[in-house]
Amino acid sequence: MSDTGSSNGKQKSKVHPSGDDRYVALDRTMKRFHNEKDALLEVLHSAQETFGYLSEELLFYISNHLHVPLSQVYGVATFYHLFTFEPQGKHNCIVCTGTACHVKGSSEIVEKMSAVLSIPVGKTTEDGLFSLSTARCLGCCGLAPVAVINGEIQGKATPETIAKKVGLILADEMVVQDQEEAG
Amino acid sequence: MSRDKLDQIAEKEQARQSQFDKRVHCCISTACLSAGAGRTIQTLRDSVDAAPTGDEVEVVQTGCMGLCSRGPLVRVQEKSGEEVYYADVDSECAEELVAKTVSWDQAEAKQQELSPELQAVRDRLETARKKRSLKKHILSPDLPFFTKQFKVVLRDVGYVDPEKLEDYLAHGGYEALHKVLTEMSPEQVCDEMLRSGLRGRGGAGFPTGLKWGFVRREESDVKYVVVNGDEGDPGAYMDRTVMEDNPHQVLEGMMIAAYAVGANHGYFYIRAEYPIAVDRIRGAIRAARRHGILGKSVLGTDFSYNADVRIGAGAFVCGEETALMHSIEGKRGVPRMRPPYPSTSGLWGKPTVINNVETLASVPAIIKNGADWYAQIGTEKSKGTKVFALAGQLTNTGLIEVPMGITLREIVYEIGGDVPGDAEFKAAQTGGPSGGCIPNTHMDTPVDYESLQELGSIMGSGGLVIIDSTTSMPEFARFFMDFCVDESCGKCVPCRVGTVQIRTLLDKIIDGRGEPEDLDDLEVLCQLVRSTSLCGLGQSTPNPVLSTLRFFRQEYEALIPSSV
Ligand SMILES: Cc1cc2nc3c(=O)[nH]c(=O)nc-3n(C[C@H](O)[C@H](O)[C@H](O)COP(=O)(O)O)c2cc1C
Ligand code: SF4
Ligand code: FES
Ligand code: FES
């Protein structure tokens, strides 16, 4: 990331205090840690929580405020799986691929969902409606295989039950779209 | 706050609880919740409100009761202490349960004025009284699932309300902390731990008393205690359950460790995938602060202690102690060479004790009951109990705590209730991606650190996945290798490159393109990665491959065209 990038970042950061309210929450987190460099991970968490993903602007903003080189902010953020750098879909489906779910056939659920949504794992559909991802153990191995759709855990899942749930959500979205177009 | 004040709170809560004729505990931990426990507990509450009875009944939300595959789980506790467990309690069953447990009193019924909603519930209860399906839901206390267990760490999990400090106090909470602060020197605490034989439950099994002793003897103004709540094994949730369902127990253990080594500050490092655990631990810290259990003068003594929470961000390697500390410092979670060990140079270069959640959760009970009591549980070299997340192809899956030395046979056939259907028990996987598979021919192996290691597996943190004859072992090994390829931090070559090479070889074999010498190459490669990697991740990555090669070599050979 070059100079042009960083000037871009500064420009943006001037607008924020007045413009985007979400930066208030981020500023609060940084203040709580007295803008210390050690708080980088906490600040990244807070940023992703409020903004949904870590945009380049956000990384610049954090780098400036914590006085941590951008390369380091980027290095830390990309090291951890939890952080994403792309906007996430409106709905999401997370399939557990932990050991217990694996031995009970979770890979078939992943394949099926990938086919239904026509996206690979870790991606979002083009219309921004659905994201598909995997997780390692959701802590209900007793009900394996497990998937989470919009935060709701689905135990003893099969490719069919999950595809059906997702299909219903997509159908609802269609209805909404049609209504919007019509009215 | 002084001990007396806490005693008063405890007594008040005990008195409050004992006024009830019946207490109905409903598990609302993750597995039960996803099986519908939210509706169950609401139905229980409504039914108790609507039932015509003079009984005082309290419906309590609790943590995991263990038999997660049969959730939602409910337990009815009588005043006498007698208990009955019910499984698969849906709304309908919850109504029948209440209708049949409370003493039904028609006179009471006539007096009560009910809202239309509750009247409807009452009507349903009337019908429910005549049903006959409740029996099917009763879990006999004589089930091996219950009788074979021995609970130290999980003793109060599933009984206490995790969001209520009073309840923890009423169960004898913080008595152990008070005892060490007022009756024992730090040295005595370390000795007590050493004598108890407690070994680290994070996987490696290092004697806890020894570790604490090292840090105690370090000269430094600042020392730290770190709780390792990163629980990276993908298929295990012991530590999560303890943090969520009895957070004060972990905090108390952490504080005893702090006193023993002379630390005044500590961190919980919890993985981000466990938001409820994070909330509960934070809540416990706040409650403890309010009651003078944390802060400048702990329980009125001159010991001061504070704790904070740090959240992981989804990297398996951060469970490794040096990587974890880098992560707390806000850096990339990359391991470093040891020595120096954290006991001499840990967080920010200061002497640091780092212990697993379950290790610390064992501490209060050991202090209260004494090292000798703990040391008589288990085997000669592996003392005490171990919590396992029992999963995979079994009838009963869930969370169990067993004395060390129990055999796999007892766990699989008695506690687990055997493999369902026609399939056959094939192997038990312990230790997750760092562990191995134990074949059914070694069923009588006692579960202890040394025996598992001799079989090429490890005790690990407590993941125990049972696989049946439908699972192909080479593919299972590749599943773990995929995991390690993803999770290798990339700092050292043997692990970064070796894991990819191992996977490529596995792909080749599984795709039917293997050649006879590939198996030997695989073994050589595994040994190389094991002996030259920098941290525990690389050193243990080959375990799943090596152990399946050792016990299930014929499955690999069968995949190689020319060797058959
Ligand atoms: C790759 C790797 C992952 C680890 N993951 C964990 C973990 O998730 N939880 C844990 O308590 N210990 C984990 N450990 C072990 C820790 O490094 C450390 O030994 C442990 O926290 C010490 O606590 P104990 O003595 O109480 O077991 C891991 C080690 C390695 C090498
Ligand atoms: S062994 Fe693997 S995880 Fe450990 S330091 Fe080397 S590359 Fe990183
Ligand atoms: S492995 Fe899927 S929930 Fe634990
Ligand atoms: S989650 Fe309810 S019994 Fe384990």
Side-chain angles (χ1 to χ4, degrees):
Chain A
M1 293 183 200
S2 62
D3 279 342
T4 47
S6 107
S7 68
N8 179 14
K10 279 202 188 102
Q11 209 180 24
K12 285 261 163 84
S13 67
K14 264 185 210 141
V15 194
H16 298 137
S18 52
D20 194 335
D21 272 357
R22 293 175 298 180
Y23 280 88
V24 178
L26 187 57
D27 287 346
R28 208 181 302 128
T29 307
M30 290 197 271
K31 209 165 156 201
R32 184 154 59 89
F33 290 100
H34 312 290
N35 283 8
E36 277 181 30
K37 295 183 171 61
D38 293 348
L40 179 54
L41 209 55
E42 298 294 311
V43 174
L44 289 172
H45 271 300
S46 165
Q48 174 148 318
E49 210 169 287
T50 1
F51 290 82
Y53 72 105
L54 300 176
S55 63
E56 222 164 275
E57 287 98 310
L58 263 175
L59 297 179
F60 282 126
Y61 188 80
I62 292 168
S63 156
N64 281 338
H65 281 72
L66 295 185
H67 304 287
V68 178
L70 184 60
S71 59
Q72 197 181 328
V73 176
Y74 193 73
V76 169
T78 49
F79 180 83
Y80 297 96
H81 297 304
L82 197 84
F83 299 121
T84 67
F85 305 93
E86 284 170 28
Q88 295 299 294
K90 182 173 168 195
H91 305 280
N92 62 61
C93 172
I94 307 167
V95 184
C96 177
T97 53
T99 318
C101 291
H102 173 76
V103 302
K104 294 223 171 180
S106 65
S107 52
E108 287 158 33
I109 303 179
V110 177
E111 273 166 33
K112 173 92 181 178
M113 293 320 298
S114 188
V116 167
L117 296 168
S118 317
I119 43 169
V121 171
K123 290 288 173 194
T124 303
T125 51
E126 249 171 52
D127 54 10
L129 273 184
F130 241 103
S131 297
L132 175 65
S133 55
T134 55
R136 284 165 182 154
C137 195
L138 298 164
C140 23
C141 319
L143 298 179
V146 174
V148 181
I149 298 174
N150 288 342
E152 202 181 307
I153 294 184
Q154 316 284 331
K156 299 182 186 167
T158 64
E160 290 71 35
T161 56
I162 300 303
K164 198 171 154 200
K165 284 256 172 197
V166 169
L168 285 177
I169 293 174
L170 286 176
D172 277 351
E173 285 290 343
M174 295 296 204
V175 174
V176 174
Q177 271 174 14
D178 286 349
Q179 279 169 350
E180 275 168 7
E181 273 164 29
Chain B
M1 196 180 279
S2 69
R3 173 69 196 278
D4 290 346
K5 289 243 178 66
L6 290 186
D7 279 348
Q8 280 169 17
I9 298 177
E11 278 161 26
K12 201 170 142 201
E13 176 65 18
Q14 278 161 353
R16 192 193 70 79
Q17 291 182 10
S18 61
Q19 75 186 2
F20 293 105
D21 299 301
K22 294 183 162 74
R23 300 184 81 225
V24 181
H25 294 151
C26 179
C27 169
I28 54 151
S29 215
T30 314
C32 285
L33 211 52
S34 65
R39 277 193 307 279
T40 301
I41 194 165
Q42 192 53 48
T43 310
L44 287 169
R45 291 206 163 112
D46 291 345
S47 305
V48 164
D49 286 345
T53 176
D55 286 353
E56 291 289 338
V57 183
E58 186 185 30
V59 178
V60 193
Q61 57 179 56
T62 72
C64 180
M65 297 182 184
L67 194 49
C68 310
S69 57
R70 297 288 308 276
L73 243 64
V74 172
R75 176 181 49 227
V76 177
Q77 202 177 34
E78 302 287 335
K79 216 170 197 160
S80 60
E82 213 178 298
E83 300 173 342
V84 186
Y85 280 87
Y86 297 89
D88 307 310
V89 183
D90 55 11
S91 296
E92 209 176 310
C93 172
E95 281 172 352
E96 189 178 346
L97 189 155
V98 171
K100 289 188 176 161
T101 7
V102 300
S103 47
W104 200 267
D105 184 347
Q106 291 303 347
E108 192 84 26
K110 288 200 189 91
Q111 280 171 21
Q112 256 177 339
E113 291 256 351
L114 290 178
S115 68
E117 292 84 27
L118 285 187
Q119 188 57 49
V121 178
R122 160 84 57 89
D123 295 343
R124 283 208 300 279
L125 289 178
E126 290 277 4
T127 340
R129 283 182 76 205
K130 299 182 195 103
K131 285 193 197 148
R132 288 164 173 275
S133 37
L134 190 61
K135 256 211 179 112
K136 288 202 309 263
H137 296 269
I138 295 181
L139 293 172
S140 156
D142 302 329
L143 278 182
F145 183 85
F146 295 115
T147 57
K148 282 277 168 178
Q149 294 199 48
F150 190 99
K151 297 200 172 179
V152 176
V153 173
L154 299 181
R155 202 194 66 162
D156 297 329
V157 166
Y159 283 91
V160 295
D161 182 338
E163 290 175 345
K164 240 171 116 177
L165 172 63
E166 297 89 319
D167 208 0
Y168 184 64
L169 292 172
H171 282 82
Y174 292 110
E175 277 173 17
L177 176 64
H178 184 259
K179 180 172 169 188
V180 302
L181 292 180
T182 54
E183 294 171 24
M184 295 170 85
S185 70
E187 193 175 359
Q188 281 173 325
V189 180
C190 294
D191 287 348
E192 188 79 358
M193 294 323 290
L194 199 56
R195 274 201 315 120
S196 76
L198 176 66
R199 296 169 66 174
R201 300 291 190 243
F206 193 80
T208 306
L210 214 53
K211 192 186 269 189
W212 291 9
F214 291 153
V215 180
R216 188 184 67 79
R217 285 191 289 274
E218 287 291 324
E219 302 264 344
S220 173
D221 304 345
V222 181
K223 295 179 186 176
Y224 294 103
V225 178
V226 173
V227 181
N228 189 340
D230 198 45
E231 192 152 66
D233 178 355
Y237 56 105
M238 310 70 51
D239 295 346
R240 192 207 67 185
T241 306
V242 179
M243 288 188 285
E244 283 182 7
D245 297 345
N246 204 2
H248 284 286
Q249 188 182 348
V250 190
L251 181 59
E252 184 176 6
M254 178 199 209
M255 293 179 74
I256 293 170
Y259 173 75
V261 304
N264 301 105
H265 202 108
Y267 292 93
F268 285 86
Y269 186 85
I270 306 173
R271 61 195 297 234
E273 292 85 341
Y274 292 173
I276 302 176
V278 171
D279 279 355
R280 297 262 168 87
I281 292 283
R282 280 193 175 139
I285 290 175
R286 276 196 303 272
R289 252 187 220 136
R290 262 200 316 276
H291 287 82
I293 296 167
L294 273 175
K296 274 226 174 64
S297 159
V298 172
L299 298 178
T301 66
D302 54 12
F303 174 60
S304 82
Y305 190 69
N306 261 309
D308 274 312
V309 176
R310 286 291 176 272
I311 305 173
F316 174 62
V317 72
C318 284
E320 197 277 338
E321 51 193 26
T322 59
L324 188 151
M325 288 187 284
H326 286 150
S327 186
I328 292 184
E329 294 169 6
K331 303 183 184 130
R332 287 164 68 97
V334 177
R336 63 159 172 78
M337 286 285 275
R338 296 178 309 176
Y341 286 92
S343 49
T344 45
S345 174
L347 261 186
W348 292 290
K350 303 294 181 192
T352 303
V353 173
I354 171 161
N355 273 132
N356 164 263
V357 168
E358 189 184 331
T359 313
L360 290 171
S362 309
V363 169
I366 296 175
I367 295 292
K368 257 200 282 193
N369 302 313
D372 297 330
W373 166 80
Y374 195 75
Q376 50 149 20
I377 313 166
T379 65
E380 198 197 328
K381 285 189 178 157
S382 305
K383 302 293 186 195
T385 59
K386 179 79 198 83
V387 181
F388 286 103
L390 192 58
Q393 312 285 8
L394 272 184
T395 308
N396 304 327
T397 54
L399 208 62
I400 60 167
E401 181 170 0
V402 288
M404 294 274 192
I406 190 171
T407 61
L408 271 175
R409 182 185 300 281
E410 289 167 282
I411 294 184
V412 173
Y413 290 107
E414 300 190 41
I415 297 179
D418 207 349
V419 174
D422 296 333
E424 248 174 71
F425 166 60
K426 183 170 177 179
Q429 209 280 340
T430 66
S434 316
C437 293
I438 302 159
N440 59 7
T441 45
H442 288 70
M443 290 293 287
D444 293 306
T445 308
V447 173
D448 63 46
Y449 290 96
E450 280 71 25
S451 308
L452 293 184
Q453 205 155 13
E454 265 167 41
L455 288 176
S457 187
I458 56 167
M459 173 75 77
S461 55
L464 182 52
V465 182
I466 304 303
I467 40 200
D468 66 15
S469 36
T470 57
T471 301
S472 138
M473 297 316 259
E475 276 186 41
F476 197 42
R478 182 171 64 176
F479 164 75
F480 285 116
M481 199 47 64
D482 274 339
F483 178 86
C484 293
V485 168
D486 276 355
E487 296 296 340
S488 166
C489 82
K491 177 168 175 171
C492 65
V493 177
C495 169
R496 182 181 69 226
V497 181
T499 47
V500 176
Q501 293 305 325
I502 295 174
R503 188 179 57 180
T504 311
L505 262 181
L506 286 173
D507 281 342
K508 183 177 165 196
I509 295 167
I510 292 168
D511 292 349
R513 294 178 285 115
E515 294 155 64
E517 55 275 17
D518 283 343
L519 293 187
D520 293 334
D521 287 351
L522 194 57
E523 220 151 14
V524 171
L525 197 55
C526 284
Q527 295 295 358
L528 187 78
V529 172
R530 170 188 271 182
S531 54
T532 55
S533 288
L534 188 149
C535 86
L537 192 150
Q539 289 157 13
S540 61
T541 282
N543 285 352
V545 180
L546 286 172
S547 91
T548 47
L549 265 177
R550 172 171 164 193
F551 293 113
F552 300 94
R553 202 182 177 92
Q554 71 286 1
E555 285 192 35
Y556 284 90
E557 284 166 352
L559 289 167
I560 295 177
S562 46
S563 70
V564 270

